Amino acid sequence: MSEQYDLVVIGSGPAGYVAAIRAAQLGLKTICVEKWLDAAGGACLGGTCLNVGCIPSKALLDSSYKYHESLAELAVHGIQLDSSALNVAAMQGRKEKVVRQLTGGIAGLFKANGVTPLAGAGKVLSGPRVEVTTAANEVSVLETKNVIIAAGSVPMEIAPAPVDNEFIVDSTGALEFQEVPARLGVIGGGVIGLELGSVWRRCGAEVVVLEALDDFLPMMDVAVAAEAEKIFTKQGLDIRLGARVTETTVADGQVAVTYHCGEGEHREVFDKLIVAVGRRPRSEELLSADCGVGMDERGFIHVNDFCETDARNVYAVGDVVRGPMLAHKGSEEGIMAVERILGKHAQVNYETIPSVIYTHPEIAAVGKTEQELKAEGIVHKSGVFPFAASGRALAANDPTGLVKILADRESGRILGCHIVGPSAADLVQQIVIAMEFGATVEDIGITVFGHPTLSEAIHEAALAVDGKAIHIANRRRK
Ligand code: FAD
Ligand code: NAD
């Protein structure tokens, strides 16, 4: 009789590998099937996040920012460099090393916790059971009590700009450039467009962002989006809103892009073109017809609030299900699914999932935006504190942006926090914790913040909600 598992996890991205590790910690006999192969033909662990997403993009963002600092930010501190040159091969080499260290780390964690990695493509069969097909086309079936599907997502393509991986690339290709393109086009002014556009802008590329919508970052709070657009434009990102690409032509080592914007048709020629128009769930060839797991029309696996699919003992987590496509959201869902397999009443608080765009300055958000509160008719109040009034931000010569906090008008309970500014990703986490505990702006107001810190901007924005900020002139209350 074949071996029986307690849990088969399909996919080893941040949703799958975290679920597998927690399951093994809790005593479940766990195997994690991964179809991405490493150079040796074994399972390449870590998914999009570690291999072609969060980690390599942040490595390039950090390197490119250091280069930008050496050119434009250090002189003001009295640091004079005789010269500054960028070695793209070294920058890419460092990125690869970081990726290798972290993916190797997961292999080590699997070993330490007793998770078995298996290279191959998994498919859910009724039962549940999981069919695994190796690269050599050998097929086997895993007997298991439970399945967690964590198959992730892939970049979306658009017909007028087919990716050729040479001149027209997706996010993965945009992480691999071996030289700085003189002119770079980006279709999509969302998270990836801004992060990877910023990387290559800092390295010296002329960057044009073509965004189909008329509004910039419409999912962000209006005040933060408006401030961010000003900052990025000043940094030299040429952001064109309402731009609909109709055609691309590759010729003579360049790519010509035709797009409609406002009244007329326009044409731009680039050395490289990044297509960053969103991602879609990777759910094809994942489910047998009779396995009982349902999908919606966009390919997202259908789950309830607890990531239970329509089939008994089959869960789905991460990018392959509804909700924001964020690594930490998938990881929390993976943990919840495992704990529910073991009969615990775990849940994910979807109201307090932070999101960050790692530009400089960073943009970070949690909870509702002002426009969402207005649309939902929630009576609220807000406080804003600009980093221009922060002693720490000025000392660091980084005083751009603002913190905005939204609270329930009656109770003062915090409903959202939106930041564009230095270390926004880390600052917003303070409000994530506060919201998790149901804190009010008064609670933040009476909390002692160290001086001088960027965190004081959080304190002051919370105080500003009730007109009590110290280091700015408060709006007069009617
Ligand atoms: P994935 O990470 O996509 O992993 C899925 C895994 O399943 C893959 O390894 C895949 O090979 C495997 N798989 C698929 N089908 C099968 C099958 N049938 N059998 C076996 N294995 C299979 N998110 C953030 O939170 N912060 C960031 O800073 C951030 N930066 C990003 C930057 C970029 C450029 C990109 C592209 C994404 C970024 N993201 C970021 C998003 C983040 O990477 C994803 O939300 C996250 O990786 C999703 O995790 P997942 O485990 O659901 O799926
Ligand atoms: P996105 O949804 O953030 O942005 C896509 C943008 O492309 C949108 O503004 C959209 O209006 C625009 N667009 C769509 N079709 C277009 C067209 N035909 N022409 C011009 N513009 C068009 O998607 P993304 O930037 O591709 O990122 C994909 C996902 O990856 C995101 O949802 C995000 O969750 C995740 N991600 C997260 C991070 C992070 O957390 N820092 C970083 C990168 C990616």
Side-chain angles (χ1 to χ4, degrees):
M1 199 179 134
S2 63
E3 209 164 354
Q4 166 92 27
Y5 291 93
D6 293 319
L7 174 63
V8 176
V9 179
I10 300 177
S12 71
Y17 85 74
V18 168
I21 289 173
R22 174 55 58 91
Q25 282 171 350
L26 295 175
L28 297 183
K29 186 172 175 188
T30 304
I31 186 163
C32 181
V33 185
E34 171 56 63
K35 71 174 178 186
W36 201 331
L37 301 183
D38 62 20
C44 174
L45 306 176
T48 304
C49 169
L50 266 67
N51 291 287
V52 292
C54 320
I55 297 302
S57 60
K58 268 76 245 179
L60 294 185
L61 278 157
D62 286 337
S63 296
S64 61
Y65 193 70
K66 285 188 191 301
Y67 177 56
H68 162 78
E69 275 188 309
S70 76
L71 293 176
E73 303 286 338
L74 295 184
V76 74
H77 295 275
I79 301 166
Q80 216 71 55
L81 297 180
D82 292 337
S83 68
S84 184
L86 179 68
N87 180 336
V88 178
M91 179 171 87
Q92 293 288 14
R94 189 192 81 92
K95 177 202 76 181
E96 297 301 334
K97 202 171 153 209
V98 173
V99 168
R100 269 200 309 277
Q101 186 171 342
L102 287 170
T103 51
I106 294 181
L109 287 170
F110 271 14
K111 205 167 175 193
N113 285 284
V115 177
T116 308
L118 180 64
K123 184 175 195 170
V124 184
L125 308 179
S126 61
R129 289 160 305 138
V130 173
E131 179 187 276
V132 179
T133 308
T134 67
N137 244 351
E138 286 159 2
V139 180
S140 58
V141 173
L142 301 172
E143 301 291 332
T144 182
K145 293 181 187 150
N146 302 281
V147 176
I148 294 180
I149 304 168
S153 64
V154 289
M156 286 204 284
E157 293 199 25
I158 50 169
V163 168
D164 63 10
N165 288 319
E166 192 177 358
F167 299 102
I168 306 179
V169 299
D170 58 18
S171 58
T172 302
L175 292 166
E176 299 295 330
F177 293 159
Q178 296 304 316
E179 56 186 52
V180 181
R183 291 209 85 218
L184 173 65
V186 183
I187 305 181
V191 192
I192 292 179
L194 292 172
E195 289 189 359
L196 296 182
S198 293
V199 164
W200 297 108
R201 171 73 200 132
R202 293 167 190 169
C203 294
E206 233 179 84
V207 179
V208 178
V209 178
L210 302 171
E211 165 57 51
L213 298 178
D214 294 328
D215 294 323
F216 182 64
L217 292 180
M219 69 295 195
M220 290 288 169
D221 186 88
V222 276
V224 162
E227 181 76 5
E229 190 179 357
K230 270 192 263 163
I231 294 170
F232 297 147
T233 303
K234 210 168 152 196
Q235 291 175 356
L237 287 183
D238 181 349
I239 300 165
R240 302 187 191 170
L241 300 174
R244 286 169 186 77
V245 174
T246 52
E247 192 185 9
T248 55
T249 331
V250 174
D252 303 327
Q254 289 192 306
V255 49
V257 178
T258 308
Y259 67 97
H260 279 276
C261 196
E263 297 291 286
E265 190 176 81
H266 307 262
R267 192 168 177 274
E268 289 285 348
V269 177
F270 302 109
D271 299 294
K272 298 276 184 188
L273 179 67
I274 303 173
V275 181
V277 294
R279 294 176 65 81
R280 63 174 175 80
R282 183 167 15 199
S283 47
E284 60 275 4
E285 294 171 31
L286 187 62
L287 307 172
S288 69
D290 64 346
C291 73
V293 177
M295 276 194 285
D296 71 13
E297 64 287 352
R298 291 185 299 158
F300 287 101
I301 292 180
H302 179 249
V303 288
N304 63 13
D305 287 351
F306 307 116
C307 292
E308 291 162 342
T309 69
D310 300 334
R312 228 171 117 75
N313 302 330
V314 181
Y315 297 74
V317 297
D319 280 11
V320 80
V321 302
R322 84 286 174 266
M325 287 185 168
L326 296 171
H328 42 286
K329 173 257 187 191
S331 299
E332 291 306 317
E333 289 180 333
I335 288 173
M336 169 175 72
V338 166
E339 297 200 341
R340 292 189 81 87
I341 286 171
L342 287 159
K344 299 180 198 280
H345 293 287
Q347 57 187 40
V348 171
N349 184 355
Y350 287 98
E351 302 296 312
T352 58
I353 296 176
S355 65
V356 178
I357 305 178
Y358 291 86
T359 42
H360 192 102
E362 293 170 347
I363 302 173
V366 62
K368 304 269 188 197
T369 60
E370 179 116 42
Q371 57 271 31
E372 282 172 336
L373 291 174
K374 279 186 184 156
E376 290 171 28
I378 297 173
V379 186
H380 61 280
K381 48 189 178 178
S382 67
V384 172
F385 187 80
F387 283 100
S390 154
R392 192 74 186 89
L394 280 165
N397 193 41
D398 211 359
T400 39
L402 55 91
V403 176
K404 177 172 175 182
I405 293 183
L406 296 155
D408 182 85
R409 169 87 64 83
E410 281 300 307
S411 66
R413 199 165 56 83
I414 300 171
L415 301 173
C417 176
H418 306 276
I419 308 176
V420 52
S423 300
D426 292 301
L427 292 182
V428 84
Q429 200 58 43
Q430 302 179 18
I431 295 297
V432 175
I433 296 169
M435 286 177 70
E436 193 60 43
F437 284 88
T440 63
V441 280
E442 290 81 359
D443 293 323
I444 303 293
I446 60 169
T447 302
V448 181
F449 283 71
H451 175 76
T453 56
L454 293 172
S455 299
E456 287 170 301
I458 297 278
H459 192 211
E460 290 274 2
L463 289 169
V465 172
D466 289 318
K468 293 180 188 162
I470 299 296
H471 295 92
I472 48 166
N474 290 290
R475 273 179 297 177
R476 281 182 197 283
R477 301 267 134 195
K478 290 191 191 115

